[in-house]
Amino acid sequence: MRYKSFVAGTVSALALLLATHATALAETIKLGVTAGPHAQIAEAIVPVAKAKGLDIQIIEFSDGALIDPATNDGDLDANGFQHTPYLDRQNADRGLNLVAVGGKTVLLPMAGYSHKYKSVADLPEGAQVTIPNDPSNAGRALKLLEAGGLLKLTPGVTFNATELDIVENPKKIKIVPLETAQLPRSLEDVDFSVITSHFALSAGLNPSKDSLLIEDQLSEYFCLIAVAEKNKDAPWVNTLIEAYKSPEVKAFIDKKFEGNVIAGW
């Protein structure tokens, strides 16, 4: 009996020691996200990463423009909220040195909404149309308006399109750029608004049900995980990617967002 008790006690002590050691070895990183879907997805990542030995502290921002500089400066270790055109623009305009790791994560489709009309064809001549005012999403919105037949852009132009690329505007719609967070509220005053799913969902709009126009699954608009270039080969990066692109997180996205956020893996 004494021997069995000694063995049991030794095993328990060893288990406690290993658990304590594992906790000491567990790495902690700060992950920057915007409020809404990206924050909700991050919450689903946390337990998966923890089981892999990585503790994630979620830092939620109401202003996404602050996230990349904070990542570049080391206040954040990684972020997960943006697509490639936005990251490229931030690096170029702000002199940042961030890189994407792990390929595409999720797509939040951009869509057009109206509280006044039931179809794009019903929009009147001179309709006021609000779009995001940041360059990468403005070009994306213009491409969506072109896909909906409301205007034509310079042939071959991509997400870098600007209002100067509008070559045909049969309804003479008036483009009104706004801060992205203001777009859902603008629906009360304008005829049509092009809004990313992130802000649409946060405002109670359902892109797949409420929109009059929604973009296809364009690969350049899938979101990504970004880190400072100096961190791209850090061991925790692969753990973060594995946790994000796990079956558990994909199942959460499919159930939670019902097709309004699309997992890219």
Side-chain angles (χ1 to χ4, degrees):
M1 288 294 292
R2 289 179 182 174
Y3 176 74
K4 290 183 178 179
S5 298
F6 173 77
V7 171
T10 302
V11 170
S12 297
L14 180 59
L16 179 60
L17 178 62
L18 290 173
T20 303
H21 183 60
T23 301
L25 290 178
E27 194 157 8
T28 300
I29 65 164
K30 293 180 180 179
L31 176 68
V33 295
T34 44
H38 288 300
Q40 293 170 307
I41 293 169
E43 292 287 354
I45 296 168
V46 169
V48 182
K50 191 173 184 64
K52 297 176 180 291
L54 180 66
D55 287 332
I56 297 176
Q57 181 182 353
I58 300 169
I59 310 296
E60 189 174 315
F61 290 74
S62 58
D63 184 357
L66 301 175
I67 299 179
D68 280 334
T71 307
N72 191 74
D73 294 343
D75 296 321
L76 298 172
D77 297 293
N79 67 57
F81 76 103
Q82 64 193 320
H83 49 61
T84 299
Y86 185 85
L87 175 62
D88 290 346
R89 176 71 67 170
Q90 289 284 295
N91 277 336
D93 290 353
R94 297 190 173 200
L96 306 181
N97 198 21
L98 302 181
V99 295
V101 293
K104 60 188 182 182
T105 54
V106 294
L107 174 69
L108 281 71
M110 182 174 276
Y113 305 82
S114 177
H115 283 347
K116 299 179 180 179
Y117 303 98
K118 295 188 179 299
S119 73
V120 171
D122 292 338
L123 293 178
E125 184 169 324
Q128 283 195 316
V129 177
T130 52
I131 67 170
N133 67 353
D134 68 273
S136 60
N137 279 316
R140 182 182 181 185
L142 291 172
K143 292 291 288 184
L144 181 62
L145 293 174
E146 181 180 46
L150 288 171
L151 49 80
K152 285 189 178 180
L153 300 171
T154 303
V157 73
T158 60
F159 53 79
N160 292 318
T162 70
E163 290 182 59
L164 296 176
D165 290 301
I166 299 174
V167 295
E168 290 185 30
N169 185 359
K171 288 195 173 187
K172 298 180 175 61
I173 63 173
K174 297 176 181 177
I175 304 294
V176 183
L178 287 179
E179 289 285 341
T180 49
Q182 300 298 322
L183 292 169
R185 287 194 282 272
S186 76
L187 283 170
E188 301 302 322
D189 302 311
V190 302
D191 300 295
F192 192 73
S193 184
V194 181
I195 311 171
T196 61
S197 285
H198 168 78
F199 288 98
L201 290 167
S202 297
L205 295 168
N206 186 313
S208 63
K209 295 179 181 178
D210 299 330
S211 67
L212 307 186
L213 184 63
I214 190 166
E215 71 180 0
D216 295 329
Q217 295 185 29
L218 303 175
S219 61
E220 61 263 42
Y221 298 125
F222 270 89
C223 293
L224 50 88
I225 298 168
V227 301
E229 186 172 19
K230 65 181 181 181
N231 289 330
K232 67 180 181 180
D233 297 320
W236 58 260
V237 171
N238 283 333
T239 306
L240 174 60
I241 293 167
E242 290 172 4
Y244 196 124
K245 304 177 82 168
S246 64
E248 297 94 327
V249 173
K250 187 178 189 302
F252 168 80
I253 291 169
D254 292 343
K255 181 177 180 180
K256 176 69 177 178
F257 300 109
E258 300 178 330
N260 291 309
V261 176
I262 301 164
W265 68 95

